[in-house]
DNA sequence: ATAATAGTGTCTGTGAGACATTATGTA
DNA sequence: TACATAATGTCTCACAGACACTATTAT
């Protein structure tokens, strides 16, 4: 059997929070055709010649080699494949949702974070069907945020309730009651996923904030609640 | 750029319920090397030469052409890719969970349903990493069954609470309170996902059963509850 | 003191768990 | 009648929603 005529790639939808707790998307200026010079999702081709032992490894390589980023959370979202998404022919994209801590230093000539909202509204066009991938990854994040602790991976290891609240709301796209979140954090604490450092953080004005620390048991696992935050 | 040296396939984990409400897995005797003659998951290669317009179409083709089956539910689970899963080299498998109604007529020389439990226990070995795919698909089904109406796709369109209960329990692998299920069905009814036909079914002995009808709004959608069935 | 922000308490509603009770059929 | 199976009712508990109230800081 000859090698199959299909182009397989791994693409990354990497998100972080900006200083106003809005989601940002990592984009990269494409070095090669097609769409050379355009901003697009970082990705790599997977084939027998690349050294990756697995798809996961290819995803990690895409982020590490193109952006020198190590995600706090990495999850495969889905694989999209059809005959028209790439002008070169039948192609497959297995795409991942990556969550990276805020203020990662990646600004450069051909690498930057852009507001996710701009992309979703089409004001910042992406080549291929990358907008579709971004949408699906965003929906995955939103749906997981209502019943899991996933948004904590967008924060520094040490965080406050206010920061966590902003992260959940950014992921879900809806307001969340702080009392609800406090209850959930309390449950995560009792199961060892986070802990109260005892430290306090002093905001510009007002009462000092409790500082929590995110300590996921297994790396990149998610704490799952048995209820959805009702919207 | 030459065609990439990667083998891409779509594999199907098709499940149905036997007459004792145990899950069964569809397996197919491989016509070609590698592993010719062994029972394995049905699947097809995807490449530019096959006529599939998309991965979804390839998945449907795999089921239709190899088993003449049309699934009531079809969902992409994930894509597994690495250098060692196929002796021919670096390969990708995008695999789908398919739910088919009971008593579908597919028995044949090189096509049959086998008890899922036998496969999971390793008493019925599968080639490649197919056991791994089956496990992941099974876990996906179990996790969805606790907060959605997915198991109803394993039933005939007309069903009773007892049948539904058996389906949920088979998917979850745990007993479920019939009162809980009745409550959920009532909620699905009020949102139009199922309806009370008014008919009754008379079991061998005992009170007649209400006959419900599964009428999913959008084909293959799932009703989602905002709580998990607490285990 | 006042404003701002963090954190707690209270009441309600929903829906699951557990289990008793009632309903309706067959043998 | 006895028995089997289906369906309902009741009570408790966990937890989200909503919102009032208290606590602790800076200005």
């Amino acid at each position: 059997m000859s090698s199959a005529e299909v182009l397989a790639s791994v693409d990354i939808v990497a998100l972080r929070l900006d200083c106003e707790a809005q989601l940002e998307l990592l984009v990269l200026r494409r070095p090669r055709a097609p769409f050379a010079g355009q901003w697009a999702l970082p990705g790599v081709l997977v084939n027998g010649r690349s050294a990756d032992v697995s798809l996961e490894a290819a995803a990690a390589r895409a982020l590490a080699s193109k952006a020198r980023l190590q995600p706090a959370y990495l999850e495969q979202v889905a694989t999209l494949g059809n005959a028209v998404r790439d002008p070169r022919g039948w192609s497959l994209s297995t795409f991942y949702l990556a969550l990276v801590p805020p203020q990662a230093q990646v600004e450069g000539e051909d690498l930057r974070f852009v507001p996710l909202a701009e992309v979703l509204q089409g004001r910042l066009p992406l080549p291929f069907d990358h907008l579709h991938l971004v949408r699906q990854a965003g929906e995955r994040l939103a749906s997981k945020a209502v019943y899991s602790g996933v948004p904590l991976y967008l924060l520094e290891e040490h965080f406050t309730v206010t920061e966590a609240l902003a992260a959940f709301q950014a992921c879900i796209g809806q307001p969340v009651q702080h009392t609800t979140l406090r209850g959930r954090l309390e449950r995560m604490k009792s199961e060892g996923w986070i802990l109260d450092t005892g430290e306090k953080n002093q905001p510009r004005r007002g009462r000092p904030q409790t500082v929590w620390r995110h300590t996921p048991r297994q790396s990149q696992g998610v704490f799952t609640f048995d209820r959805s935050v009702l919207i």
Side-chain angles (χ1 to χ4, degrees), chain A:
Chain A
M1 181 169 319
S2 70
S3 73
E5 291 146 20
V6 58
L7 217 59
S9 67
V10 165
D11 295 303
I12 310 288
V13 177
L15 302 177
R16 74 167 185 191
L17 290 173
D18 67 14
C19 50
E20 267 131 13
Q22 299 299 305
L23 286 171
E24 292 181 318
L25 172 70
L26 178 67
V27 289
L28 177 88
R29 202 187 284 278
R30 283 181 64 82
R32 275 184 294 275
F35 303 109
Q38 282 198 37
W39 294 103
L41 296 182
V44 293
L45 289 176
V46 291
N47 56 48
R49 290 186 302 278
S50 54
D52 307 302
V53 295
S54 70
L55 266 188
E56 288 284 330
R61 174 169 69 94
L63 258 179
S65 71
K66 307 238 169 173
R68 309 237 163 277
L69 275 178
Q70 203 174 357
Y73 180 78
L74 186 66
E75 171 188 331
Q76 189 187 108
V77 178
T79 298
L80 219 94
N82 60 53
V84 299
R85 58 181 301 278
D86 190 305
R88 289 169 288 185
W90 227 101
S91 78
L92 287 170
S93 166
T94 300
F95 58 105
Y96 285 75
L97 167 67
L99 303 184
V100 301
Q103 339 285 22
Q105 300 298 332
V106 297
E107 305 298 332
E109 267 299 301
D110 41 11
L111 188 70
R112 61 172 177 154
F113 278 96
V114 296
L116 177 61
E118 302 272 314
V119 175
L120 292 178
Q121 289 163 16
R123 285 192 279 163
L124 212 149
L126 296 178
F128 306 104
D129 53 1
H130 282 188
L131 174 56
H132 190 224
L133 309 193
V134 171
R135 276 219 190 87
Q136 258 190 268
E139 286 162 13
R140 170 72 60 92
L141 176 60
S143 72
K144 282 215 166 184
V146 300
Y147 67 86
S148 82
V150 144
L152 296 187
Y153 283 107
L154 285 166
L155 304 177
E156 305 281 3
E157 194 182 346
H158 289 77
F159 66 95
T160 67
V161 172
T162 305
E163 289 164 349
L165 194 62
F168 275 87
Q169 291 176 154
C171 293
I172 298 178
Q174 298 271 342
V176 172
Q177 294 264 341
H178 73 101
T179 44
T180 298
L181 180 59
R182 285 172 202 278
R184 293 193 159 201
L185 291 177
E186 209 57 52
R187 226 159 311 126
M188 288 183 75
K189 175 192 173 189
S190 70
E191 299 206 23
W193 287 79
I194 60 175
L195 50 84
D196 185 339
T197 61
E199 302 164 36
K200 296 288 171 183
N201 180 269
Q202 184 56 55
R204 277 215 334 269
R205 273 188 300 201
R207 179 168 167 175
Q209 312 166 301
T210 299
V211 175
W212 294 88
R213 180 152 155 255
H214 189 200
T215 56
R217 341 289 290 287
Q218 62 276 49
S219 171
Q220 305 204 342
V222 286
F223 183 83
T224 305
F225 304 98
D226 50 30
R227 290 202 200 170
S228 159
V229 89
L230 306 175
I231 309 184

